[in-house]
Amino acid sequence: MLQTPSGGAGHGAAAAGTGLMSIGAVLAVLREEFPEVTISKIRFLESEGLIEPQRTASGYRKFSTGDVERLGHVLRMQRDHYLPLRVIREHLAALERGEAVHLPALSRPGDGEAAPEQAADGPAPARIGRRQLLAAAGVGEADLAEWESYGLLVPVEDGVYDAEAVTVAGLIAELGRFGIEPRHLRVMKAAADREAGLVDQVVAPLRRHRNPQTRAHAEARTKELAGLAVKLHAALVQSALGVRLP
């Protein structure tokens, strides 16, 4: 039995009388356990054949409780074990056949790769090694090298990336299937860098403050501002295209 993310499938609006959920409602459920998951990530996993939600006559996705459980299981295997999508797909197929499947031991950035260090004022951010990033994103060394050449992915130190690099790599690969090449994405990276710079400019006085509590508040303020910036960016893109995402 797959573990359902905390909150259960009843969270959010379900299609009347069917128990099916919109992609927005599924996102709300999953974010209780996976705060960084996005609608794009869910669509990416669908495009990879890991879930098959139903579609309404107008083309909107509708997810069952089983779909939500399956999504949670996939995200958990990526987060906790850094498994590539091919292995996750095989694992799920084995479970559906009723076979006993054992996941590998919890991965760490070891195996010859640099491990994160404990910061003096708290835990270090989540990190992932280069080989783990390649496996989790399901891409080759040549792809990653090209993305790095355009500045789309930048290691925090030699051979080590922040955990968000997996999401970035997956989205770059997904856009590539539509013919959007890494060189086309430089404008997005430049815009993201400018937005990050604006947030840093606002938060910088808090980080330099003498009061430790004020400095600690800087991280929360950064997350809040980053969330608002991402929402504004998405809204502006939708407005410019004259579309609204489901």
Side-chain angles (χ1 to χ4, degrees):
M1 181 68 179
L2 301 183
Q3 178 183 351
T4 305
S6 60
H11 189 290
T18 67
L20 299 177
M21 305 171 65
S22 69
I23 194 169
V26 171
L27 183 66
V29 170
L30 292 173
R31 276 187 169 167
E32 294 183 17
E33 182 178 350
F34 309 98
E36 304 304 322
V37 72
T38 63
I39 285 179
S40 293
K41 175 71 171 181
I42 296 173
R43 288 175 175 155
F44 172 68
L45 294 176
E46 178 189 358
S47 72
E48 291 294 323
L50 291 164
I51 53 166
E52 295 182 5
Q54 299 180 34
R55 294 273 187 162
T56 66
S58 55
Y60 287 94
R61 297 168 177 81
K62 292 298 177 182
F63 297 78
S64 67
T65 301
D67 291 328
V68 179
E69 290 183 353
R70 189 178 177 94
L71 275 169
H73 198 52
V74 169
L75 293 170
R76 212 169 284 112
M77 285 191 284
Q78 284 191 313
R79 180 194 65 193
D80 298 342
H81 301 276
Y82 298 105
L83 295 179
L85 296 182
R86 173 184 56 80
V87 175
I88 293 176
R89 195 178 295 110
E90 294 171 354
H91 173 81
L92 293 173
L95 286 178
E96 290 172 351
R97 294 192 298 267
E99 300 176 6
V101 180
H102 299 286
L103 290 173
L106 186 63
S107 296
R108 66 183 73 179
D111 301 327
E113 297 175 337
E117 297 180 356
Q118 185 81 2
D121 56 352
R127 301 287 172 84
I128 182 173
R130 189 176 185 88
R131 288 198 298 274
Q132 292 173 330
L133 174 59
L134 290 170
V139 299
E141 183 69 47
D143 293 317
L144 181 55
E146 182 182 13
W147 299 345
E148 288 180 324
S149 72
Y150 287 107
L152 300 174
L153 282 169
V154 180
V156 294
E157 55 184 276
D158 188 25
V160 179
Y161 302 77
D162 62 42
E164 192 64 21
V166 176
T167 300
V168 173
L171 291 172
I172 294 172
E174 185 177 2
L175 288 167
R177 284 195 288 274
F178 291 90
I180 299 178
E181 300 177 10
R183 60 188 176 89
H184 300 142
L185 301 177
R186 287 180 295 183
V187 62
M188 294 186 180
K189 180 63 167 63
D193 287 343
R194 287 194 297 270
E195 291 167 11
L198 178 60
V199 172
D200 281 338
Q201 182 179 348
V202 173
V203 177
L206 296 178
R207 293 197 180 112
R208 294 194 298 264
H209 202 279
R210 293 182 178 181
N211 189 324
Q213 292 182 336
T214 302
R215 292 198 301 270
H217 182 61
E219 181 179 358
R221 180 60 58 85
T222 298
K223 290 181 179 179
E224 181 181 6
L225 288 172
L228 290 172
V230 168
K231 289 179 181 178
L232 175 59
H233 183 90
L236 289 172
V237 171
Q238 292 181 68
S239 177
L241 293 173
V243 300
R244 184 167 184 82
L245 298 178

